[in-house]
């Protein structure tokens, strides 16, 4: 694993691990060459240098995990490859359920694959695709999530989803990213699915792929993603 993706700052490691706890991210816990099982981080306490891990699915694997000197964790969170090593486990309880306890890892492998990493755009961020149809007035389609390769948009119930049919290519549309800026993108519609709440139809989720980006827009997208990541980490930190 490349050292350039290795995080060793205690605060940064703990914040990223907190994301895995919050989203119940499944991790592979490798005991040795023959024994492994899926687990998840359930709690982190930075003051006590404590990481709580969900228990093994059976007693045999639990005993092997408890007797191992070091354990390898690996997984994927929103397109980010994750790996870390802990030095031994001890048996404990969390919320009256069996759990493993261990110290925080000294380092964390956190490799973001740019083409797959996708982040949700918060509602308070006024980011959207300004869709310029040939015959209709421009339509603002709010951004639901974003990656360097595409995005998901919300098409409200009062907008005809046929204006963005699957397979349709839309050249030179305007992508507006709150606080970052705007620029032209050419897109292809790749999927549609209904958005419902309590069985009530709210609109349509439109998945798009970027086929061409105006110069500098790839950097703007990455800046926007980093801005949202900072907001999420600040919330976890209580700021």
């Amino acid at each position: 694993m490349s050292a350039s993706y290795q995080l060793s700052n205690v605060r940064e490691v703990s914040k990223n691990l907190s994301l895995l706890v919050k989203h119940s991210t499944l991790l592979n816990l490798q005991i040795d060459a023959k024994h492994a099982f899926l687990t998840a981080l359930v709690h982190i306490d930075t003051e006590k240098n404590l990481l709580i891990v969900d228990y093994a699915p059976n007693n045999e694997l639990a005993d092997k995990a408890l007797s191992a000197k070091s354990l390898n964790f690996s997984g994927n969170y929103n397109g980010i490859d994750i790996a870390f090593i802990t030095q031994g486990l001890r048996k404990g309880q969390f919320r009256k359920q069996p759990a493993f306890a261990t110290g925080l890892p000294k380092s964390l492998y956190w490799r973001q694959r740019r083409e797959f990493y996708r982040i949700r755009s918060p509602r308070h961020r006024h980011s959207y695709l300004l869709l310029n149809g040939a015959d209709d007035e421009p339509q603002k389609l709010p951004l639901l999530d974003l990656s360097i390769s595409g995005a998901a948009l919300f098409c409200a119930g009062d907008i005809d989803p046929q204006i963005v049919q699957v397979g349709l290519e839309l050249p030179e549309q305007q992508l507006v990213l709150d606080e970052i800026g705007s620029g032209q993108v050419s897109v292809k519609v790749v999927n549609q699915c209904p958005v419902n709440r309590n069985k009530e139809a709210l609109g349509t989720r439109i998945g798009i792929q970027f086929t061409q980006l105006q110069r500098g827009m790839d950097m703007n997208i990455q800046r926007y993603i980093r801005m949202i990541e900072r907001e999420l980490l600040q919330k976890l930190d209580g700021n």
Side-chain angles (χ1 to χ4, degrees):
M1 291 183 288
S2 172
S4 61
Y5 300 110
Q6 205 79 21
L7 307 179
S8 55
N9 179 277
V10 174
R11 188 168 180 270
E12 198 170 9
V13 168
S14 61
K15 281 190 172 184
N16 286 354
L17 290 177
S18 295
L19 286 175
L20 306 185
V21 173
K22 180 180 179 180
H23 294 280
S24 302
T25 303
L26 287 177
L27 299 173
N28 183 69
L29 194 162
Q30 193 74 39
I31 302 170
D32 53 37
K34 295 182 179 180
H35 300 94
F37 60 90
L38 289 177
T39 187
L41 309 183
V42 295
H43 182 69
I44 181 171
D45 189 327
T46 53
E47 291 185 0
K48 295 181 179 179
N49 186 36
L50 185 65
L51 189 63
I52 305 297
V53 182
D54 198 15
Y55 208 61
N58 57 58
N59 290 332
E60 181 185 358
L61 286 173
D63 290 342
K64 289 184 180 298
L66 289 167
S67 62
K69 292 183 178 180
S70 64
L71 300 111
N72 292 274
F73 292 78
S74 61
N76 187 278
Y77 166 72
N78 280 355
I80 300 173
D81 292 327
I82 306 155
F84 60 91
I85 298 172
T86 63
Q87 302 302 316
L89 298 173
R90 60 184 183 275
K91 187 176 180 179
Q93 281 194 340
F94 182 72
R95 294 177 179 171
K96 298 182 179 180
Q97 295 296 322
F100 293 122
T102 186
L104 297 178
K106 294 182 178 179
S107 64
L108 173 65
Y109 180 77
W110 192 267
R111 180 175 180 260
Q112 178 177 318
R113 294 181 290 173
R114 293 172 65 247
E115 68 273 24
F116 297 116
Y117 183 54
R118 185 174 294 267
I119 198 164
R120 290 182 182 178
S121 184
R123 290 183 180 181
H124 71 272
R125 289 292 176 188
H126 301 293
S127 300
Y128 55 88
L129 182 75
L130 188 62
L131 184 65
N132 295 303
D135 303 318
D136 303 311
E137 290 293 320
Q139 303 278 4
K140 285 185 180 180
L141 300 185
L143 199 64
L144 296 177
D145 61 47
L146 179 68
S147 74
I148 196 66
S149 59
L153 311 169
F154 179 67
C155 184
D158 57 349
I159 299 177
D160 183 1
Q162 294 305 310
I163 65 175
V164 279
Q165 298 179 47
V166 174
L168 189 64
E169 296 195 19
L170 303 165
E172 298 180 351
Q173 307 299 309
Q174 194 79 0
L175 180 64
V176 179
L177 301 175
D178 192 21
E179 286 196 26
I180 300 298
S182 62
Q184 285 189 345
V185 296
S186 295
V187 306
K188 180 179 181 180
V189 181
V190 292
N191 59 63
Q192 286 188 15
C193 66
V195 177
N196 301 311
R197 181 181 296 163
N198 297 327
K199 298 184 179 180
E200 179 185 355
L202 300 179
T204 305
R205 184 184 187 275
I206 308 294
I208 60 170
Q209 176 186 348
F210 298 135
T211 57
Q212 188 173 356
L213 298 174
Q214 180 183 336
R215 186 175 181 180
M217 272 306 290
D218 57 338
M219 296 301 298
N220 282 346
I221 290 171
Q222 291 182 65
R223 287 174 58 205
Y224 185 78
I225 289 173
R226 286 196 296 269
M227 180 178 72
I228 302 305
E229 284 179 327
R230 285 195 298 271
E231 287 183 0
L232 292 173
L233 290 173
Q234 286 170 359
K235 285 182 180 179
L236 286 172
D237 202 31
N239 295 329

